Amino acid sequence: EIYSFPLLSPQACRMLVEEVEHFQLSGLPARRPNSMNNYGLVLNGPIGLERLMDSLQARYVAPLGELLFGSEGASLDHHHAFVVQYKAGQDLGLDMHTDACDVTLNVCL
């Protein structure tokens, strides 16, 4: 099932995008989210947003997961939070794939 709702305010989206852009300009090594995306960035680790992602998971995602998906959604114990960037001519091989997640949350910034 797919559900759609506003999660972050426009200001929060802008702030997150700005933080990612600042990190990319820093020259620090970037950890990519997967083998298919060369322009994404994992938000845990060097960028320092793991606590923010932990908080979002605990306060919003886990309760929502439990409400929508019962016991599978109630037992969220970790996250793989990342951003990806799509542009014409980049990352042309983004094929259909699956993963081992019980709950996936995509946020359009």
Side-chain angles (χ1 to χ4, degrees):
E1 296 185 45
I2 298 174
Y3 300 91
S4 178
F5 57 92
L7 177 66
L8 301 175
S9 70
Q11 179 184 4
C13 291
R14 277 192 305 277
M15 291 171 66
L16 183 54
V17 169
E18 288 173 4
E19 192 64 29
V20 168
E21 289 172 344
H22 291 153
F23 182 83
Q24 290 171 331
L25 293 172
S26 74
L28 293 170
R31 187 170 147 220
R32 303 301 177 200
N34 54 54
S35 61
M36 297 181 298
N37 189 281
N38 296 311
Y39 303 96
L41 179 64
V42 173
L43 298 178
N44 304 340
I47 192 168
L49 295 178
E50 187 162 5
R51 280 197 243 166
L52 173 62
M53 297 302 118
D54 289 344
S55 178
L56 282 173
Q57 177 179 313
R59 292 173 131 194
Y60 303 106
V61 179
L64 183 61
E66 182 175 13
L67 178 69
L68 297 175
F69 304 111
S71 63
E72 286 184 350
S75 63
L76 303 179
D77 56 6
H78 69 281
H79 53 76
H80 180 54
F82 60 90
V83 294
V84 292
Q85 174 181 320
Y86 298 110
K87 285 186 179 180
Q90 295 179 344
D91 286 336
L92 302 177
L94 297 174
D95 297 327
M96 178 66 74
H97 69 282
T98 59
D99 57 37
C101 295
D102 292 326
V103 176
T104 297
L105 176 69
N106 294 314
V107 178
C108 182
L109 299 174

